[in-house]
Amino acid sequence: MSDSSCSSCQDWSHFTTCEASKQMLAKATEDGVSTMFHRAQTSKPCPIGSKGLCCSVCGLGPCRVTDDKDAPQVGVCGATAATVAARNFARMIAAGTAAHSDHAREVVELFIATAKGEAPGYEIRDVRKLRSLATEFGIDVTGRDKSEIALELGEKVLGEFGKQHGELTLLSRAPAKRQERWRKLGIAPRGIDREIAETLHRTSVGVDQDFRNILFHASRTALADGWGGSMIATELQDILFGTPVPVRSQVNLGVLKADQVNVVVHGHDPAVPEAMVIASRDPELAELARSVGATGINISGICCTANEILMRHGIPIAGNYVQQELAIATGAVDTMVFDVQCCLESLPEMTKCYHTLLFTTADKAQITGVQHLAFEPGTAVETAKELLRSAIANFPNRGVVEIPDQVMDMVAGFSHETINYILGGRYRESYRPLNDN
């Protein structure tokens, strides 16, 4: 907790139009709790860094370089503003590609474990898509069962990360003219990890010093993300957890329930929330929740991991990235479970004021002061049940609860396959009607 100079009656309209968020900001202020909204009022961006002109890639600096035409400056090594900005931008792309693609790698590893029967609770759900994707990777699917196909596909897809030559397999999905242009420019990605590593090498001191050349490779790395890691994750998640179809649900902080054990899943990796959903259906846990005075278990999500279980199960979304602190400020969240990405380091400080239990589940994404309970494919559902038991035991520890009544109905789950089907049925599926209109 921290003191805030803002009064509880402050108008937050210049930060958000969401009434639920305004209500929770007022409550957090009254409770003396600092959120990202409060910190944004006092934090001022660095005028050099905001232009991408602060360079710290070597030990000669850090150097602050201006782009003033009347008084041009360079770094100690002689790097110009254009070179520094290009290097910084390329490194941001490499970091984003690494994050998306490491997510994809974990999905591939779970996919392989599932194919081997080593991940109880998970299964190959979309066999049609499995066979289709396997064919794209040159795998013969004739007369083979789904586990056998999935195992070979998983091993081939895993090879896309370390591929050193040629092109990513799924690049062939792009329009032919677009592929020709990428090859002409020399930006068709080879292996996902290779492009990330080369970006870091190129942007080190004394290596690539032509901002145009740096940006061409940055484009290559971005393509390795979109047509590599991100696409791989999307396809295998659909095969594993089911391809989304339209489903009704709700969104905003009002989906939290005062009379139920509220468990919020947060992050990007769908393996964790899928296990939580499976575990929440256990009748013994439902009875345990009733024994502490709750009417049931309410799972909801924050951020991208929320979208995964929204599309496939209709699980409501409690909020987006900037609402994660506000969800805790309601006093109704009994447990928040993190996997990877987008989880704020400020949350443990908030729980000094509220009763919420926090858990990290990925070894690569731990937070100081937060309990860690590692998720492994072979024990995922049991770990999820352990987390739910902790949430249930924490339910009686609630203090003042204030849940906004704002909630919006929604329909989600419009996957590529579903849109195709809606437009033309199984045998005439096409985007043609949509494009023509």
Side-chain angles (χ1 to χ4, degrees), residues 401-423:
V401 172
E402 182 181 336
I403 301 174
D405 59 7
Q406 281 81 20
V407 66
M408 182 178 291
D409 294 326
M410 64 183 300
V411 179
F414 291 94
S415 60
H416 159 72
E417 290 82 0
T418 294
I419 295 171
N420 253 346
Y421 180 76
I422 290 172
L423 292 174

Side-chain angles (χ1 to χ4, degrees), residues 187-299:
I187 62 173
R190 297 153 295 186
I192 299 166
D193 293 344
R194 172 166 184 173
E195 307 308 354
I196 296 169
E198 189 168 315
T199 298
L200 297 179
H201 179 202
R202 282 175 179 252
T203 55
S204 295
V205 63
V207 188
D208 202 342
Q209 298 165 60
D210 182 331
F211 74 91
R212 300 171 189 83
N213 205 40
I214 293 170
L215 292 177
F216 271 121
H217 185 72
S219 299
R220 192 179 206 173
T221 307
L223 289 172
D225 181 343
W227 296 85
S230 293
M231 194 169 288
I232 286 170
T234 298
E235 298 297 87
L236 294 193
Q237 284 168 189
D238 284 353
I239 294 171
L240 265 178
F241 309 128
T243 300
V245 296
V247 59
R248 292 183 182 275
S249 191
Q250 293 183 315
V251 61
N252 215 337
L253 294 169
V255 304
L256 299 172
K257 306 297 182 185
D259 61 343
Q260 295 188 24
V261 176
N262 289 300
V263 178
V264 175
V265 291
H266 179 13
H268 281 65
D269 184 354
V272 175
E274 280 286 332
M276 297 294 289
V277 172
I278 294 169
S280 69
R281 294 169 178 163
D282 186 332
E284 290 185 13
L285 289 175
E287 181 57 37
L288 186 61
R290 286 190 287 271
S291 72
V292 298
T295 60
I297 301 171
N298 181 43
I299 305 284

Side-chain angles (χ1 to χ4, degrees), residues 111-153:
F111 187 80
I112 292 172
T114 302
K116 291 179 176 179
E118 297 173 354
Y122 300 108
E123 61 179 292
I124 304 297
R125 296 183 183 276
D126 193 333
V127 178
R128 184 170 182 247
K129 190 162 189 173
L130 167 68
R131 298 173 73 87
S132 175
L133 186 62
T135 301
E136 285 190 68
F137 276 84
I139 296 171
D140 183 10
V141 300
T142 307
R144 304 174 71 187
D145 67 32
K146 64 180 183 180
S147 296
E148 186 181 357
I149 297 170
L151 182 56
E152 185 175 349
L153 175 60

